[in-house]
Amino acid sequence: MTETSSSGRKLHLGILSAAGIAKKNVRGILKNTNGIEVVAVAARSLDKAKAFIKETGIEGKAKAYGSYDELLDDANIHAVYIPLPAGLRPQWVKKAAAKGKHVLGEKPVALTNKETEELISACREAGVQYMDGTMWLHNPRAHYMKEIISNKKLFGEPKSVTTCFYMAADEDFKKNDVRAKKDLDGLGCLGDIGWYCLTVTLFAFNYDAPSQVQAHIGAKFNDEGVPMHCGATLTWADGRQAMFDCGFDQNFTQLANVGGSESFIQWTDFCIPTKEDSCEFSVVGPGGLSDLDTRINQDNEVKKVYLDRPQETRMWEDFAECIYAIQDGKKPDDHWPSISELTSKCVLAVAESIENGCKVVEFKA
Amino acid sequence: MTETSSSGRKLHLGILSAAGIAKKNVRGILKNTNGIEVVAVAARSLDKAKAFIKETGIEGKAKAYGSYDELLDDANIHAVYIPLPAGLRPQWVKKAAAKGKHVLGEKPVALTNKETEELISACREAGVQYMDGTMWLHNPRAHYMKEIISNKKLFGEPKSVTTCFYMAADEDFKKNDVRAKKDLDGLGCLGDIGWYCLTVTLFAFNYDAPSQVQAHIGAKFNDEGVPMHCGATLTWADGRQAMFDCGFDQNFTQLANVGGSESFIQWTDFCIPTKEDSCEFSVVGPGGLSDLDTRINQDNEVKKVYLDRPQETRMWEDFAECIYAIQDGKKPDDHWPSISELTSKCVLAVAESIENGCKVVEFKA
């Protein structure tokens, strides 16, 4: 395994809620090489917290709490993971920040721009690290991609991003999942899998803010009016543009194409890699049609990245790095809250356009 | 080679114009097994026609004409190929039909709905076969795809199509190519590579007409106002939808994803295959996330199709089949003009939406 720099230090982490995604994260944290330990879990009841601790194999290591407030009052805890739904999360992020806890909060950040700004400001003002739960950005593959996209000679000017993310949800999901509930994760597919489409887009475009956002016609909703399928086009002042489509209504699909003037990269498992021990992406170089346009004359290199631990482990290690740096006197790394805020505002601009009959929304960063 | 059914019959073909695309087609025709012979070429000058005949290796087989009318008057000719630009083509298609010649006309069909309807009606009324030059539809790969998409048990309900087609054009192209000239192929990238995005979409959706069309924000134009980059979303009354993006402003890319409720198919060389002797597409079956969402649990089968002759050869053989059937007393195969007309109207609906600030266009079939 690649060594990280905890230098024997420990990060004591508490988890607020026993959500399914938290189980995946505990599994990831258990593989970390950066001193991160889950020391407490809080749920809406003590029994739920205890059951979660047992199920995730951290008995004897983690303390169970029957309320979130109790966990936040535990002075032994440096940082918290908050996977609560977006409708409930902002208040707990703000409370955690007020108690001096660093926060890794699930996505989407919040259901409104006001809440997004408030919770990120609360973390900044408290001097705590904020990071959202977008795991794929911490996968080494993303670093290789960034190198290629940033290489002007190889990639040329970035031009467009196309992404699709679908999953087949059953009727129970469309009625009862938190992503189907207006007051919980009320942005539905947009806040869940659409979020990832937008993270790919913003990553590829160096986190520059778009200038305009327009939802595509044809958005679909469940009975509560929560988006079950939607898409949008975003434009940038310099001519770059992106389109995405997402939905809970078709077979599981992840597709991303980042196009430049000289090359493009393409991959089909952008959010959750097909495998944990390696992942791939294609880099297709300049060129195109052969003589008489009878075939394609273009280098297509499949780049394979070998992984010694899952991308979620990498996320937690990066989060711990930020916190150790703060303990060493540095400021929180503002990259992470900045990109959370930008992504959240893009998601919410799409939601605004959908609500207003696909009107063009002028984006305010 | 697979045998076709010419049974010793000959199709005498004349070509109107010495365009580059005609050279590719002559090469394809020379490989046909269905009795097709290029017997005449007409250009704006006799010298141009002679030079084309020499360059394409059909000296001694094909007669040169210095005007299109002369070729149409040649009673030895059964059918004509008309690769003239869309601004000029309709009048020649109508003239050819009036002379009883079957017509394979390049795409896009025409620059207006009126011209589209008129030229297709002219062919229907004259009882001649009309077909457009969309080669990939004749590639055996398309037939395998159709079988999969039509297999309800395997593919489920068709849901969405995403396509991108880009090519990097230089400044000279953007000023001087026929696809940059308002009065020639004045639909620019939309009529050229956007056409192909829409053929994939309509093919996947069984040539059902969309209900609404909306262009995406961010379309770009050259100095003449011809589209150099654009995209759109189309919706169908039953909830299916499609998005595409195309442009002459980035590295050569062809990407298609056809998604169903149970499977999806994906391929990256939809219009012009990477190779002539084989081509591929991926079929990804039901499923998605494994336990704890840590990896993808889904069959991904790459289907390889071996080709004994290029897809353009197949197109010409299919065209000849239609004509031999007519000679045997059958009616022209209305599938081909029908899909040309539908595709043309979709292209023109996108153009209308672009011209009107991305307004939603109610599609009229």
Side-chain angles (χ1 to χ4, degrees), chain B residues 31-48:
Chain B
K31 295 173 189 282
N32 92 85
T33 62
N34 212 3
I36 310 156
E37 291 176 355
V38 179
V39 298
V41 175
R44 277 170 294 174
S45 76
L46 194 60
D47 282 349
K48 276 197 174 175

Side-chain angles (χ1 to χ4, degrees), chain A residues 63-79:
Chain A
K63 195 171 172 182
Y65 285 112
S67 82
Y68 306 145
D69 278 313
E70 282 178 86
L71 188 149
L72 292 182
D73 283 333
D74 184 340
N76 183 42
I77 291 170
H78 306 123

Side-chain angles (χ1 to χ4, degrees), chain A residues 123-329:
Chain A
C123 292
R124 283 185 179 135
E125 281 159 24
V128 300
Q129 183 65 48
Y130 179 82
M131 185 182 276
D132 71 53
T134 307
M135 297 167 175
W136 76 266
L137 289 170
H138 304 270
N139 188 314
R141 176 169 61 174
H143 306 314
Y144 288 112
M145 286 175 178
K146 183 62 103 182
E147 273 175 34
I148 288 163
I149 297 170
S150 308
N151 183 332
K152 289 275 179 232
K153 189 161 189 288
L154 172 67
F155 198 73
E157 295 301 320
K159 291 285 185 176
S160 75
V161 178
T162 295
T163 47
C164 300
F165 199 161
Y166 307 115
M167 43 187 284
D170 58 20
E171 288 311 308
D172 180 59
F173 178 104
K174 288 179 192 168
K175 277 192 178 154
N176 301 316
D177 191 88
V178 289
R179 289 162 285 186
K181 296 288 181 189
K182 196 102 191 162
D183 53 348
L184 298 174
D185 276 316
L187 292 162
C189 66
L190 174 60
D192 183 27
I193 52 184
W195 169 278
Y196 290 113
C197 293
L198 287 165
T199 59
V200 170
T201 303
L202 293 167
F203 164 84
F205 285 172
N206 208 28
Y207 299 104
D208 296 328
S211 53
Q212 293 190 320
V213 177
Q214 185 174 36
H216 296 162
I217 53 174
K220 297 173 191 75
F221 308 89
N222 70 2
D223 293 342
E224 284 201 32
V226 173
M228 294 287 113
H229 193 123
C230 65
T233 290
L234 299 86
T235 59
W236 277 254
D238 61 2
R240 287 174 293 174
Q241 39 118 91
M243 65 175 184
F244 77 90
D245 191 48
C246 66
F248 290 143
D249 53 354
Q250 63 187 76
N251 189 36
F252 193 85
T253 310
Q254 310 172 91
L255 175 62
N257 187 84
V258 176
S261 55
E262 303 296 323
S263 295
F264 66 83
I265 64 173
Q266 218 168 66
W267 66 119
T268 59
D269 59 348
F270 63 81
C271 175
I272 298 171
T274 309
K275 297 192 285 182
E276 279 201 331
D277 60 353
S278 68
C279 58
E280 299 180 344
F281 65 108
S282 291
V283 183
V284 182
L289 301 170
S290 65
D291 182 43
L292 288 186
D293 298 1
T294 53
R295 68 197 79 87
I296 309 304
N297 186 12
Q298 212 172 18
D299 271 352
N300 180 343
E301 189 190 354
V302 177
K303 298 224 181 238
K304 192 163 184 168
V305 179
Y306 293 93
L307 307 170
D308 56 6
R309 48 203 192 278
Q311 61 184 18
E312 53 272 23
T313 305
R314 299 280 191 162
M315 176 180 76
W316 286 103
E317 290 170 354
D318 287 346
F319 182 59
E321 283 296 291
C322 294
I323 294 166
Y324 297 146
I326 295 166
Q327 290 170 352
D328 287 341

Side-chain angles (χ1 to χ4, degrees), chain B residues 6 11 35 43 87 161 257 310 321:
Chain B
S6 87
L11 178 69
V161 178
N257 187 86
E321 283 297 292

Side-chain angles (χ1 to χ4, degrees), chain B residues 104 131-143 203 207 270-271 307 309-320 322 335-336 339:
Chain B
L104 197 148
M131 184 182 275
D132 71 53
T134 307
M135 297 167 175
W136 77 266
L137 289 169
H138 304 270
N139 188 315
R141 175 168 62 173
H143 306 313
F203 165 84
Y207 300 103
F270 63 80
C271 176
L307 307 170
R309 49 201 192 278
Q311 61 184 17
E312 53 272 23
T313 304
R314 299 279 192 165
M315 174 179 77
W316 285 104
E317 290 170 355
D318 287 347
F319 182 60
C322 294
H335 171 71
W336 300 108
I339 70 173

